[in-house]
Amino acid sequence: MKKEKVDRRVQYTKMILRQSLIELLEKNPISKITIKSICEKADINRTTFYAHYTDQYDLLAQIKQELFDDVSVYLTNFTFHENESESVQLLNKIFEYIKQNSKICSVLLNDTTDTAFHEQVMVIVQKLCMEQLTKKSFNQNIINYIISFAATGSMGLIRKWLDTGMKEPTYTMAEIILKLTNQGLTAFV
Amino acid sequence: MKKEKVDRRVQYTKMILRQSLIELLEKNPISKITIKSICEKADINRTTFYAHYTDQYDLLAQIKQELFDDVSVYLTNFTFHENESESVQLLNKIFEYIKQNSKICSVLLNDTTDTAFHEQVMVIVQKLCMEQLTKKSFNQNIINYIISFAATGSMGLIRKWLDTGMKEPTYTMAEIILKLTNQGLTAFV
DNA sequence: ACAAAAAATCAACACGCTGTTTAGTAACAA
DNA sequence: TTGTTACTAAACAGCGTGTTGATTTTTTGT
């Protein structure tokens, strides 16, 4: 399907509005950011803003969606090493992506689970569960609780890693998540 | 220290404003709730609102703080059974509290970790870690990651339990959290 | 090169909400 | 009963929003 060419003015407008919101979010919560302030920073007319977005929350949602798409592409274009767990490689890629894009990730991973990473980690954890919980018949609700625990926990861990300067190697972090998901504290005893 | 008696008018004003915001939050996010709408619902003058709160975010923060204090008191006034893990009993109390106050908890546990429960669960998990990770010398950062994983994961699990109608008994949920924290998926194999 | 279309700008407008001030009223506590 | 405190009501200036219509600029297609 032929990709429709987007007018260069539209590309610029969206790029500069997104960049402006990201920069404002570094210092303020979304609730304190006005459309007026975004447009002033971007040097874009307010009517132009309304031509593309409903409000600042819509703009933020579209930034997140763009990130989601970018992460999906990033993880899809990937060749696994045969001699390693696929999960640990995928988690490693996620941490690598976050490290490469730490500025925008710091802003977007704000006490929220509706991010691209949460969904990707959900998929990984679900796969692990399916691999390990096949011998017993479990209540689907319990499985969902387990998945929620591991996926949300991973986001909390990722948040912490971001907030404390990302000192540890990405592969180490991927291993920690896998260990905690599979064996909890006993993996570290 | 003698507890200062609060004027009944102030007690009523704060109670009705808090209740009004909670009810509005059932249907709308905080960003869409105006001070005007809170005051209309409460039938309280706007100047009175400003006498007590800075804005709707301040009101919400104080509601959360009140909940935090209430939870702390609830968990402190508690006698442990000797023949059971203290952690599972505390977790059970947390789930009981949430069940008894599910209306306000549904509203307040909104993709956020800055809640009373997160902090309480942090304390429990920290204790578990201290109990089990004493034989080895771990990087404090790694311990913090483990705590973040388990505490945030617990919040995700609690959120899920709330969202799906709280069908399972509170004690079952407490046990699931403990199992996942201690042994991860292997506890369910 | 030129014309049509698209995107952005500009100015204006009505509206809604905010945050403050002042005077008056009602409730509370001593 | 009285003084104090808390709340109400009205008014106000200011700010931001969302929309409209005309104009300008840029882009695209012929």
Side-chain angles (χ1 to χ4, degrees):
Chain A
M1 175 174 68
K2 202 182 83 180
K3 187 193 174 195
E4 217 155 285
K5 189 178 170 70
V6 176
D7 195 298
R8 273 183 288 171
R9 293 170 296 188
V10 172
Q11 285 185 47
Y12 173 79
T13 297
K14 288 187 167 183
M15 180 278 293
I16 197 68
L17 284 173
R18 291 176 177 182
Q19 182 180 306
S20 296
L21 179 56
I22 292 293
E23 284 175 27
L24 289 169
L25 280 169
E26 280 167 12
K27 296 177 173 166
N28 303 281
I30 184 74
S31 55
K32 300 293 189 200
I33 296 172
T34 65
I35 288 163
K36 184 176 189 286
S37 63
I38 298 168
C39 291
E40 274 176 351
K41 191 171 184 63
D43 194 24
I44 291 286
N45 200 262
R46 280 196 305 114
T47 52
T48 305
F49 181 99
Y50 287 111
H52 297 287
Y53 305 102
T54 309
D55 54 24
Q56 61 271 61
Y57 300 100
D58 180 30
L59 171 54
L60 180 56
Q62 293 197 31
I63 291 172
K64 288 185 169 182
Q65 182 60 51
E66 189 190 30
L67 179 71
F68 181 88
D69 296 340
D70 200 40
V71 169
S72 296
V73 167
Y74 182 86
L75 296 182
T76 303
N77 301 338
F78 179 62
T79 313
F80 293 102
H81 296 121
E82 278 177 14
N83 57 349
E84 270 187 313
S85 154
E86 196 167 297
S87 301
V88 77
Q89 290 181 69
L90 267 176
L91 283 167
N92 183 50
K93 293 299 287 182
I94 288 174
F95 275 100
E96 278 179 359
Y97 186 95
I98 291 170
K99 185 149 192 161
Q100 285 158 21
N101 301 272
S102 57
K103 186 180 174 186
I104 188 172
C105 290
S106 285
V107 158
L108 296 184
L109 298 182
N110 253 342
D111 291 321
T112 176
T113 51
D114 67 330
T115 65
F117 306 109
H118 186 258
E119 192 156 323
Q120 293 291 340
V121 172
M122 284 279 283
V123 168
I124 295 171
V125 167
Q126 205 153 2
K127 203 176 177 204
L128 284 174
C129 283
M130 292 309 109
E131 281 170 5
Q132 300 218 24
L133 305 182
T134 52
K135 291 184 195 259
K136 283 182 164 184
S137 174
F138 272 100
N139 185 321
Q140 185 60 44
N141 277 1
I142 306 296
I143 295 176
N144 287 340
Y145 291 139
I146 295 170
I147 292 170
S148 288
F149 182 93
T152 316
S154 300
M155 293 316 301
L157 188 147
I158 288 169
R159 178 78 254 171
K160 194 77 169 176
W161 184 63
L162 259 174
D163 289 344
T164 53
M166 299 177 284
K167 298 190 191 77
E168 295 79 8
T170 57
Y171 200 84
T172 302
M173 301 312 297
E175 284 182 316
I176 291 176
I177 284 189
L178 267 182
K179 281 177 176 177
L180 286 172
T181 300
N182 282 315
Q183 295 149 7
L185 282 171
T186 55
F188 297 85
V189 167
Chain B
M1 177 173 66
K2 200 181 83 180
K3 186 196 176 195
E4 217 155 287
K5 189 177 172 66
V6 176
D7 195 295
R8 271 183 286 171
R9 293 170 296 184
V10 172
Q11 284 185 46
Y12 172 79
T13 296
K14 287 187 167 184
M15 179 277 294
I16 196 69
L17 283 173
R18 290 176 177 182
Q19 181 180 308
S20 297
L21 178 55
I22 291 294
E23 286 177 27
L24 289 169
L25 280 168
E26 281 166 12
K27 296 176 173 166
N28 303 281
I30 184 75
S31 55
K32 301 293 188 200
I33 295 170
T34 65
I35 288 163
K36 183 176 190 285
S37 63
I38 297 168
C39 291
E40 275 176 351
K41 191 171 185 63
D43 195 26
I44 290 287
N45 200 265
R46 280 196 306 114
T47 51
T48 304
F49 181 98
Y50 286 112
H52 296 288
Y53 305 103
T54 309
D55 53 23
Q56 61 272 60
Y57 300 99
D58 182 30
L59 171 53
L60 181 57
Q62 294 196 31
I63 291 174
K64 287 185 170 182
Q65 182 61 50
E66 188 189 30
L67 179 74
F68 181 90
D69 295 340
D70 200 40
V71 168
S72 297
V73 166
Y74 182 86
L75 296 181
T76 304
N77 302 339
F78 178 62
T79 314
F80 293 102
H81 296 121
E82 278 177 13
N83 56 349
E84 272 187 312
S85 155
E86 195 167 298
S87 299
V88 76
Q89 290 181 68
L90 267 177
L91 282 166
N92 183 49
K93 292 299 289 184
I94 289 175
F95 275 101
E96 279 179 0
Y97 185 95
I98 292 171
K99 187 150 192 163
Q100 283 157 22
N101 301 271
S102 59
K103 188 179 172 185
I104 189 173
C105 289
S106 284
V107 158
L108 295 185
L109 299 181
N110 251 342
D111 291 321
T112 177
T113 51
D114 68 330
T115 66
F117 304 109
H118 185 258
E119 191 156 324
Q120 293 290 340
V121 172
M122 286 277 285
V123 169
I124 294 170
V125 167
Q126 206 152 2
K127 203 177 177 202
L128 283 174
C129 284
M130 292 309 110
E131 280 169 7
Q132 299 218 26
L133 304 182
T134 51
K135 289 180 193 247
K136 282 183 166 184
S137 174
F138 272 98
N139 186 319
Q140 185 60 43
N141 277 1
I142 305 298
I143 293 177
N144 287 341
Y145 292 139
I146 295 170
I147 293 170
S148 288
F149 183 92
T152 316
S154 300
M155 292 316 299
L157 188 146
I158 288 169
R159 179 78 253 172
K160 194 76 169 177
W161 184 63
L162 259 173
D163 290 347
T164 53
M166 300 177 283
K167 297 189 191 75
E168 295 81 7
T170 56
Y171 199 86
T172 301
M173 301 311 299
E175 284 182 315
I176 291 176
I177 284 189
L178 267 182
K179 280 178 177 178
L180 286 172
T181 300
N182 282 316
Q183 296 148 8
L185 282 171
T186 54
F188 298 85
V189 167

